[in-house]
Amino acid sequence: MRMVDLIQKTRDGIELTDEEIHFIIDGYVKEDIPDYQMSAWMMAICFQGLSKKETATLTKEMMHSGDVIDLSAIQGIKVDKHSTGGVGDKTSLVLGPIVAACGVPVAKMSGRGLGHTGGTLDKLESIPGLHIMIDEDDFVKQVNDCHLAIIGQSAHLDPADKKMYALRDVTATVSCIPLIASSIMSKKLAAGSDAILLDVKYGDGAFMKTIEDAKILARTMIEIGDSLGKDTRATISNMSQPLGNAIGNSLEVREAIDTLNGHGPHDLLELCLQAGSHMLIQAKKTDSLITARKMLEDTIHSKSALRALCAMVKAQGGDDEYIRHPEMFEKAKEVIAVRSIKEGYVKELEAMALGLVSMKLGGGRQTTEDEIDHSVGLILNKKIGDYVKKDEVLVYVHTNTGLSSALKDEILNAYHLTDEFVAKPELIDEILS
Ligand code: URA
């Protein structure tokens, strides 16, 4: 077999066989196939797409390119959750504890942030002492003991995706549905859970800019999960504005703790309750969405979800006093209020622009080597549908480096106001299964 012939087949829209896809992924991981041929093949996929069968085979080949985690020693149905990423997305820090507190084992491998989106691992590392690299045996033991572990991806998981993603990043082949779907699902499937809940976001702060594309991506991933015998469902949620009010690592952890204490922002809580209800059904704890929601709400009222987070933090070497007393988190030197220069209803709020401001304050990475300042970020005082008076605070900026006029302008320009009434947007459009 020759790679050049397979590139040509995909370029001409001819379906590849399972053996041919195996040849490509295996050859690429073993470095028999060079980056330039892989780039050409992935670019051909961007133009021609892949069939359902090819996408499922590609995912399976990527999944088996490295370790596949064996979670069979964990009792119960393990449900994993994955978000396609957004700004202010601290869902895992709320959803993990409320679902775990209902007795569902949550064994989650998360990622770091890059660019305008934050990563769960970076957020968790704002808790002093907490470590995220845990070996497989301890991971299994922790989930059996306290139903919840959120750790970094093992170095040997899905090496094909690591190589392909790095190449996609520099060859303009990231935004391509079959490549995104196989990238996400191969990692989720290699991480070993029995069922998967995907949160596919659309809008300014998300990979998918339109709801139509988000649904196509979700359906593609559900088909891959189903073809491999895993119950896979997806929430389609709106990321046209940040989720919740906090953007930035420790600020987001504190907002998640507030939510577990019963006073978090409505949009974050609602997303967690709706996604969590499906996770309880996937784990066969109930077959009723109404009962599932009630079970999850009870974990907040009884504080059992907060205790689940404390137990996880402690098991991973972190200081759980920070969870009980979030005022202990290190604070930025200054909090600067950015005030509106106009009045009106907030019509649009550019999530990506605000994510980038947080990154530039030091809260995120421009390159994978950058260090993160966990204490900085933004607290939004106004969101879409709110009325703003002139001089009212739009955003509180938590900073260790002041606030340049350029950054202040970026914040002001992220807010679009109108005189006409604007209703608050729906967060979840649909749940697909
Ligand atoms: N997240 C992933 O893991 N892979 C992609 O291709 C896009 C988002």
Side-chain angles (χ1 to χ4, degrees), residues 82 84 161 165 168 174 179-180 183-184 187 207:
H82 178 83
T84 57
D161 181 62
Y165 197 85
R168 286 168 60 206
V174 169
L179 292 178
I180 297 177
S183 163
I184 293 175
K187 288 187 292 254
F207 263 108

Side-chain angles (χ1 to χ4, degrees), residues 48 59 74 99 134 215 220 287 298 303 346 352 357 370:
Q48 286 287 3
T59 308
I74 298 175
V99 170
I134 292 178
K215 285 186 187 173
T220 308
D287 52 16
D298 285 349
K303 298 273 174 4
V346 182
M352 186 188 285
V357 171
D370 288 350

Side-chain angles (χ1 to χ4, degrees), residues 215-412:
K215 285 186 187 173
I216 297 172
L217 176 62
R219 289 229 173 277
T220 308
M221 293 195 286
I222 290 170
E223 278 161 13
I224 295 171
D226 288 350
S227 75
L228 293 165
K230 306 273 181 183
D231 177 345
T232 307
R233 303 179 181 208
T235 53
I236 307 292
S237 67
N238 187 334
M239 191 26 84
S240 60
Q241 63 176 343
L243 184 63
N245 302 321
I247 306 171
N249 298 283
S250 65
L251 296 174
E252 291 191 41
V253 175
R254 293 187 65 170
E255 188 165 78
I257 296 169
D258 282 348
T259 309
L260 294 176
N261 273 315
H263 31 82
H266 173 76
D267 58 351
L268 172 63
L269 178 64
E270 190 56 29
L271 178 59
C272 293
L273 290 175
Q274 291 207 33
S277 299
H278 281 270
M279 289 172 77
L280 294 197
I281 290 176
Q282 288 175 291
K284 304 210 184 316
K285 287 287 169 190
T286 171
D287 52 16
S288 150
L289 281 172
I290 294 169
T291 308
R293 187 178 174 106
K294 172 88 180 54
M295 287 166 74
L296 295 167
E297 285 170 343
D298 285 349
T299 70
I300 294 179
H301 300 147
S302 67
K303 298 273 174 4
S304 60
L306 192 76
R307 287 195 293 277
L309 181 62
C310 287
M312 181 195 96
V313 166
K314 200 164 174 192
Q316 291 180 216
D319 186 348
D320 56 332
E321 281 299 299
Y322 279 69
I323 308 302
R324 275 185 282 272
H325 303 286
E327 65 283 358
M328 287 171 73
F329 278 94
E330 191 192 337
K331 293 179 189 60
K333 279 194 215 133
E334 271 184 290
V335 179
I336 299 174
V338 175
R339 294 173 186 278
S340 182
I341 50 176
K342 299 186 259 196
E343 66 179 37
Y345 290 94
V346 182
K347 180 175 73 168
E348 263 179 65
L349 183 47
E350 293 176 28
M352 186 188 285
L354 294 174
L356 288 172
V357 171
S358 175
M359 182 196 80
K360 290 175 193 169
L361 289 168
R365 293 185 187 82
Q366 309 203 40
T367 71
T368 42
E369 283 79 38
D370 288 350
E371 289 279 320
I372 280 194
D373 182 344
H374 290 102
S375 64
V376 301
L378 309 175
I379 299 287
L380 310 185
N381 196 43
K382 297 287 177 182
K383 292 188 61 177
I384 297 179
D386 287 337
Y387 190 76
V388 184
K389 294 193 202 123
K390 189 163 177 286
D391 278 337
E392 251 195 301
V393 176
L394 293 172
V395 174
Y396 292 100
V397 179
H398 292 239
T399 172
N400 287 321
T401 49
L403 181 67
S404 66
S405 55
L407 275 192
K408 183 177 168 188
D409 284 348
E410 286 179 33
I411 294 173
L412 289 172

